[in-house]
Amino acid sequence: MKPANLEAIQHSFTIQAPNFESQTVNFSKEEYLNYTISRVAPKGQDSVLEVAAGTCACGRSFAPLVQSVVCLDATPSMLQIGKQEAEKSHLNNMTFVKGYAEELPFLNDSFTIVFSRLAFHHFTDTDVVFSEMVRVLKPGGKLVMIDMEAADEKMRQTEDEIETLRDPSHVKNMSKNEMLELFTAHSLQIEQCETTEIQQKLNNWLALTRTPEPIRQKITELMKSELAGEEKTGFSPYVENGKICFNQKWLLLIGRKQ
């Protein structure tokens, strides 16, 4: 089953692919990758699936520690960069698969770790994707979900509207409770639930998606208006070293399949 917003996803991430590994953005920062590994605690015999892997930064960080890693993504240009980077690092236990999170091309109970990082806000049907991740996870295995936590309820719609202005493939950020409910609904025992605040610089955040200049200006003005005490955006921007910044809440959840 193809995602309903496949065209928007592939368009957006084909644009983002060349700069997705840039150190000016936080998607691949070594510190957070190391944090993720420390929480998941992979073992040498683990077989790992990264769903909606992008350039496979997380999968590549797991590869030296486990038996095998499969990275699946719907955008070929993202996977190609991931494959190139894996080859540079001589990571020979990785496989790269073009496919959809909504219909994983794997047998039931295939992997001991299944994870998705910063992708659920792009899914139009989060329950279908989560169900597929649970299906391919072996009993006793770990399902790992990392995504941005939604703003407070009264600001969620405004936050999502700005996110979609910047990146039309964005659907919506989930609340902490909504993420937890996915684990509960699929009878996964929650072992970790932690939130980390990640700083984003507005200009770098907009540059990654190559947001058109008129929209960049509109988003920037919305942030400046909030800084001036006017209407809130849900981002709670602040100025650091003369640059507009905001913090995202990245929620890490780990559940074990019974």
Side-chain angles (χ1 to χ4, degrees):
M1 181 180 74
K2 293 182 180 180
N5 59 339
L6 176 62
E7 186 176 341
I9 287 172
Q10 290 185 330
H11 177 75
S12 177
F13 284 97
T14 297
I15 289 172
Q16 293 184 51
N19 295 317
F20 215 72
E21 297 280 320
S22 170
Q23 290 303 303
T24 62
V25 295
N26 290 307
F27 300 109
S28 305
K29 288 291 180 68
E30 186 175 358
E31 181 181 359
Y32 193 81
L33 293 173
N34 290 340
Y35 158 79
T36 302
I37 289 171
S38 72
R39 294 301 185 267
V40 178
K43 298 179 180 178
Q45 68 269 29
D46 279 324
S47 53
V48 178
L49 170 65
E50 182 176 15
V51 177
T55 59
C56 317
C58 209
R60 284 186 276 123
S61 69
F62 274 81
L65 307 173
V66 300
Q67 185 176 78
S68 62
V69 177
V70 176
C71 292
L72 175 138
D73 199 87
T75 306
S77 56
M78 296 289 275
L79 284 175
Q80 183 60 34
I81 290 174
K83 185 177 181 180
Q84 291 170 355
E85 293 299 318
E87 289 172 351
K88 288 179 187 177
S89 299
H90 306 289
L91 299 173
N92 300 317
N93 62 337
M94 297 188 70
T95 305
F96 303 86
V97 178
K98 180 183 179 294
Y100 308 125
E102 293 81 356
E103 191 174 25
L104 297 174
F106 309 109
L107 297 175
N108 295 354
D109 307 336
S110 293
F111 303 93
T112 58
I113 297 174
V114 177
F115 70 86
S116 181
R117 185 177 75 121
L118 300 175
F120 264 75
H121 58 277
H122 293 289
F123 299 144
T124 55
D125 194 330
T126 55
D127 189 68
V128 166
V129 175
F130 200 91
S131 296
E132 278 290 276
M133 291 172 66
V134 174
R135 179 183 65 79
V136 301
L137 181 65
K138 290 183 178 182
K142 296 177 183 178
L143 191 151
V144 185
M145 177 181 176
I146 301 172
D147 207 6
M148 299 178 296
E149 186 178 339
D152 293 340
E153 194 63 35
K154 61 183 179 180
M155 296 307 307
R156 286 184 66 177
Q157 182 175 344
T158 301
E159 180 191 49
D160 279 328
E161 286 172 354
I162 293 172
E163 289 273 12
T164 306
L165 273 176
R166 172 203 177 239
D167 179 359
S169 70
H170 177 89
V171 177
K172 73 168 187 175
N173 289 337
M174 300 175 72
S175 69
K176 181 178 180 178
N177 285 340
E178 286 169 340
M179 294 188 217
L180 287 168
E181 284 169 6
L182 284 174
F183 284 76
T184 302
H186 292 82
S187 302
L188 296 181
Q189 180 181 344
I190 295 171
E191 296 187 345
Q192 298 274 351
C193 179
E194 295 183 1
T195 300
T196 304
E197 289 204 357
I198 304 292
Q199 184 189 72
Q200 299 287 357
K201 294 181 172 63
L202 179 62
N203 286 340
N204 294 342
W205 184 68
L206 293 170
L208 177 64
T209 47
R210 298 188 191 176
T211 302
E213 187 58 32
I215 298 175
R216 289 181 62 149
Q217 290 178 4
K218 181 176 181 178
I219 294 174
T220 301
E221 287 305 314
L222 288 170
M223 298 289 186
K224 287 180 176 178
S225 292
E226 179 169 355
L227 287 167
E230 298 177 20
E231 190 172 348
K232 294 185 181 298
T233 62
F235 286 80
S236 300
Y238 57 92
V239 176
E240 185 176 283
N241 298 322
K243 304 292 184 182
I244 298 176
C245 304
F246 59 90
N247 292 341
Q248 292 175 332
K249 291 182 178 180
W250 289 10
L251 183 65
L252 178 145
L253 283 163
I254 301 175
R256 192 176 293 273
K257 186 175 181 179
Q258 303 302 300

